[in-house]
Amino acid sequence: MGRPSIKAERTAEILNAYEQCVARFGIEGATLERVASQAGLARALIRHNVGNRDALFDALVERFFDVSEQRVVDLIAALPERDRAPVLIDILFDVRHGNDTHVLVAEALIAAAADRPALAKRMKNWIDDFVSAIAAVLRHSYPDAAQGRVTAVATGVTGIYFNVDSLAMLGGMTDLRRNSKEAALLLVCTLED
Amino acid sequence: MGRPSIKAERTAEILNAYEQCVARFGIEGATLERVASQAGLARALIRHNVGNRDALFDALVERFFDVSEQRVVDLIAALPERDRAPVLIDILFDVRHGNDTHVLVAEALIAAAADRPALAKRMKNWIDDFVSAIAAVLRHSYPDAAQGRVTAVATGVTGIYFNVDSLAMLGGMTDLRRNSKEAALLLVCTLED
DNA sequence: TCTTTTATTATCAAAATTGATAATTTACAG
DNA sequence: CTGTAAATTATCAATTTTGATAATAAAAGA
């Protein structure tokens, strides 16, 4: 009985708006006013649905890791049985990821980790896990390649990918994206020898 | 006559502190209070030496481009006559650049460029110029390589380098730095064919 | 010492941000 | 229609941040 709750949807909307603000203004610059404005909601609704500033931050962090884990799972699942490496690069440097704030949020969290040791450890693991996932895909395509080289290539591909997403906010970065993708492919091809 | 002015030194100190805060908190999160605290000066001295918030931002932007240009000049000047490419990678991924905030400031400026079209254009040019400088070095070492491939490799090296500096704030990223450097070298070696 | 110029400090008001609570409206069940 | 639980709105005080000006202290030269 009573009015149906929409807390789940509202929370998602608020966290989406918060992510946009974090990507644009950073953690400390993402004020509740800006988040409310971005979400098109009254500021009091942020408190009603999520809580205060710290609660909002904590919710963002938890959702970030959940979403990140799911994205990696989906990414791997989208790969074919054969020729996984080039398809991986296709997906990573697809223009559809153009407006994606995930990497920007990650960088904001890394900055905020400066005085949050526990978060710093989680972000380090997050990077390691991502590189490891890329490395696993590469190992599948190049089972004879040396481990050290696979790790290096996976790190390089990850770096190029993160960088593209970092700079994507500028807009009109099609050349950079194309050249980055070509570089990633060249790097992967060094595992063929 | 009169008390000697130290505005130049104070301005440099303030901009240094501002850069640290921008790298950690972003443009909007770098409050005058934080900058003053970081600089160990009274907030009023920021106003006295540089001006208000907008003036501080403008001063940072101008110094950023000046320093950036000089750094590229110094980087090129530090290269030997032969084997420039590997030395370039050595310098780019040297651990001494560990506490360098230059790339972090660049990313903060890119974020702030979202509602500053003129700055967005300058940042795009900044990226292009950096990639072009790397490409020029690579062309010197590999004069027979195809232009498109040189551009791609230069873009990739730049991306890997930017990424390392982005994540360096986490600390203890020696593995990432080493693997990134190895990846950059592998990528450069694809120009040998 | 006196004057001049600048650095530094001391305050103040305005604006922005946050945390919190009360009042009101809305949607559904019975 | 009525009760109820939740959404939404309306306010308020406390804190932070900013912009600005006045007052004071310090360092040089004459």
Side-chain angles (χ1 to χ4, degrees), chain A residues 3-175:
Chain A
R3 185 171 177 175
S5 175
I6 55 176
K7 182 165 283 192
E9 300 89 317
R10 278 275 180 271
T11 298
E13 289 174 20
I14 290 169
L15 288 182
N16 288 342
Y18 186 41
E19 271 191 9
Q20 292 292 125
C21 291
V22 165
R24 164 67 183 84
F25 303 109
I27 293 292
E28 277 74 13
T31 66
L32 297 182
E33 301 283 356
R34 285 202 241 258
V35 175
S37 170
Q38 173 75 29
L41 298 173
R43 181 172 64 89
L45 290 182
I46 296 178
R47 176 177 190 76
H48 179 67
N49 288 282
V50 184
N52 64 10
R53 206 169 157 66
D54 287 339
L56 195 59
F57 176 78
D58 293 342
L60 178 72
V61 169
E62 295 315 314
R63 197 178 78 154
F64 170 81
F65 287 113
D66 288 346
V67 169
S68 214
E69 191 171 356
Q70 188 57 48
R71 283 164 69 116
V72 171
V73 170
D74 293 346
L75 175 63
I76 303 302
L79 298 179
E81 186 56 34
R82 308 193 145 275
D83 280 338
R84 291 190 182 180
V87 177
L88 172 73
I89 303 300
D90 271 338
I91 297 177
L92 288 182
F93 295 91
D94 190 345
V95 283
R96 279 176 300 181
H97 287 316
N99 291 338
D100 193 4
T101 61
H102 198 67
V103 171
L104 289 173
V105 170
E107 290 182 350
L109 291 180
I110 288 173
D115 44 8
R116 293 180 176 92
L119 180 59
K121 184 174 281 279
R122 292 181 78 179
M123 293 309 296
K124 285 183 192 176
N125 287 336
W126 175 79
I127 296 169
D128 287 345
D129 290 349
F130 191 88
V131 172
S132 295
I134 302 296
V137 173
L138 296 179
R139 253 193 302 276
H140 184 275
S141 288
Y142 304 95
D144 298 333
Q147 292 298 325
R149 177 169 290 202
V150 171
T151 300
V153 170
T155 304
V157 169
T158 299
I160 298 172
Y161 163 61
F162 281 6
N163 181 251
V164 168
D165 267 22
S166 287
L167 276 37
M169 177 177 271
L170 270 179
M173 300 270 82
T174 56
D175 284 357

Side-chain angles (χ1 to χ4, degrees), chain B residues 1-3 5-7 10 42 44-45 48:
Chain B
M1 57 183 75
R3 184 171 178 173
S5 175
I6 56 176
K7 181 165 284 193
R10 279 274 181 272
L45 289 181
H48 178 68

Side-chain angles (χ1 to χ4, degrees), chain B residues 77-191:
Chain B
L79 298 179
E81 186 55 36
R82 307 193 147 275
D83 280 339
R84 291 190 182 180
V87 177
L88 172 72
I89 303 299
D90 272 338
I91 297 177
L92 288 182
F93 294 92
D94 189 348
V95 283
R96 281 176 300 181
H97 287 315
N99 291 338
D100 193 4
T101 61
H102 198 65
V103 171
L104 289 174
V105 171
E107 290 182 350
L109 292 180
I110 288 173
D115 43 10
R116 293 180 176 92
L119 180 59
K121 184 174 280 281
R122 291 182 78 180
M123 293 310 297
K124 285 183 194 178
N125 286 336
W126 175 79
I127 296 169
D128 287 344
D129 290 349
F130 191 88
V131 173
S132 295
I134 303 296
V137 173
L138 296 179
R139 254 192 303 275
H140 185 273
S141 288
Y142 303 96
D144 297 333
Q147 292 298 324
R149 178 168 291 203
V150 172
T151 300
V153 170
T155 304
V157 169
T158 300
I160 297 173
Y161 164 60
F162 281 5
N163 181 250
V164 168
D165 267 23
S166 287
L167 307 181
M169 178 177 269
L170 270 180
M173 301 270 80
T174 55
D175 284 356
L176 181 87
R177 187 175 293 271
R178 180 172 38 77
N179 288 320
S180 292
K181 179 176 179 177
E182 186 176 341
L185 281 173
L186 284 172
L187 193 51
V188 168
C189 287
T190 63
L191 295 174

